[in-house]
């Protein structure tokens, strides 16, 4: 059976049941449950330090009114981070390479930030559609442009995450295929491509972490505009 490069992005099924939900819940198993050694456990202490540092960085652009979102934003970042990193393991499926999943995360959260702004400060939220000092003839065009740019935000969030992870997975598969094919013919070139593959894997680990952070950071910036 010949597989294409894009078959790795197909959601796996078992008896007609999609396994993507299980793959999304699996990262939560990496979080330890509370025990009597919750404070003295080095792993738990390291995780708590990382979560505290992440939450602090995400809350920097927000005022105190936006700190209510700390749990949602931090949980979302940890979920995306673990799913992205686990997706780099061999023979695994990465749910965040699916645009449908990323849009399901981006659109409701963006809509929540927008509705929060309409409820708390409707005048200022709608005022973003028309910059101050705009010439009268340009008002209709600028309102249309700003409305489109506002509505395209969730699409940009989902497409950015999907495109970056998909491109990285495709590059890894292409170079690994070339390494295997060149091994019996040109061993020296195969060793060089193996080194490139190693460097690319390190780069993809960084991309997986950065994209999770950027996704949540942009949501926090959208929230700051509306509170």
């Amino acid at each position: 059976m010949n597989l294409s490069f894009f078959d790795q992005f197909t959601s796996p099924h078992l008896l007609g049941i999609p396994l993507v939900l299980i793959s999304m819940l699996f990262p939560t198993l990496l979080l330890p449950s509370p025990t009597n050694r919750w404070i003295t456990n080095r792993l738990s202490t390291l995780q708590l330090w990382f979560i505290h540092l992440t939450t602090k960085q995400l809350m920097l652009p927000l005022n105190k009114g936006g700190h209510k979102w700390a749990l949602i934003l931090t949980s979302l970042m940890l979920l995306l981070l673990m799913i992205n990193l686990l997706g780099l393991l061999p023979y695994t499926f990465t749910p965040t390479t699916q645009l449908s999943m990323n849009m399901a995360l981006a659109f409701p959260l963006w809509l929540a930030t927008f509705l929060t702004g309409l409820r708390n400060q409707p005048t200022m939220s709608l005022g973003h559609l028309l910059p101050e000092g705009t010439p009268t003839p340009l008002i209709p065009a600028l309102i249309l442009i700003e409305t489109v740019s506002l509505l395209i935000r969730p699409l940009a969030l989902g497409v950015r995450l999907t495109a970056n992870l998909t491109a990285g997975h495709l590059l890894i598969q292409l170079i690994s295929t070339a390494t295997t094919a060149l091994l019996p013919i040109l061993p020296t070139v195969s060793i060089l491509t193996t080194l490139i593959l190693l460097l690319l894997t390190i780069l993809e680990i960084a991309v997986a972490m950065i994209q999770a952070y950027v996704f949540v950071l942009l949501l926090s910036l959208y929230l700051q505009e509306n509170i």
Side-chain angles (χ1 to χ4, degrees):
M1 180 178 179
N2 295 325
L3 299 177
S4 68
F5 288 126
F6 291 94
D7 285 335
Q8 62 175 314
F9 304 115
T10 303
S11 178
H13 289 73
L14 179 62
L15 300 177
I17 302 174
L19 301 180
V20 62
L21 295 178
I22 299 177
S23 64
M24 289 174 59
L25 295 176
F26 179 75
T28 58
L29 300 178
L30 300 178
L31 297 177
S33 57
T35 62
N36 293 332
R37 299 188 60 192
W38 178 259
I39 301 299
T40 57
N41 190 339
R42 291 187 180 90
L43 179 60
S44 298
T45 303
L46 181 62
Q47 288 180 339
L48 288 174
W49 170 82
F50 176 74
I51 292 174
H52 177 267
L53 179 63
T54 302
T55 306
K56 182 179 179 180
Q57 291 297 323
L58 291 176
M59 294 299 106
L60 281 179
L62 301 177
N63 54 29
K64 289 187 177 181
H67 291 180
K68 301 176 184 177
W69 291 63
L71 181 60
I72 297 177
L73 296 179
T74 305
S75 301
L76 177 63
M77 180 176 173
L78 292 177
L79 176 67
L80 291 176
L81 181 62
M82 287 189 286
I83 288 179
N84 292 349
L85 292 177
L86 288 175
L88 294 174
L89 297 175
Y91 304 105
T92 56
F93 172 70
T94 312
T96 44
T97 56
Q98 307 296 310
L99 182 61
S100 57
M101 174 188 166
N102 295 334
M103 289 301 299
L105 292 174
F107 183 77
L109 291 172
W110 167 82
L111 185 61
T113 62
F114 181 67
L115 294 179
T116 300
L118 288 180
R119 185 189 65 178
N120 295 336
Q121 44 184 15
T123 304
M124 187 173 296
S125 296
L126 295 177
H128 291 156
L129 301 179
L130 185 63
E132 187 177 357
T134 303
T136 304
L138 297 180
I139 288 179
L142 278 179
I143 291 178
L144 180 61
I145 293 173
E146 291 296 329
T147 303
V148 172
S149 66
L150 179 66
L151 297 178
I152 210 172
R153 283 180 173 181
L155 180 62
L157 282 176
V159 170
R160 181 187 296 108
L161 183 59
T162 303
N164 280 280
L165 295 180
T166 302
H169 283 65
L170 284 176
L171 281 175
I172 290 177
Q173 186 169 359
L174 285 170
I175 296 179
S176 60
T177 303
T179 302
T180 306
L182 291 174
L183 184 59
I185 306 173
L186 299 170
T188 306
V189 178
S190 179
I191 293 174
L192 292 177
T193 54
T194 303
L195 295 176
I196 296 176
L197 180 61
L198 178 61
L199 295 176
L200 181 61
T201 303
I202 297 174
L203 175 64
E204 284 306 310
I205 292 174
V207 168
M209 294 187 291
I210 292 172
Q211 288 303 316
Y213 177 71
V214 168
F215 188 93
V216 181
L217 180 63
L218 288 176
L219 280 176
S220 67
L221 293 178
Y222 298 157
L223 178 62
Q224 175 60 28
E225 292 181 358
N226 293 284
I227 58 175

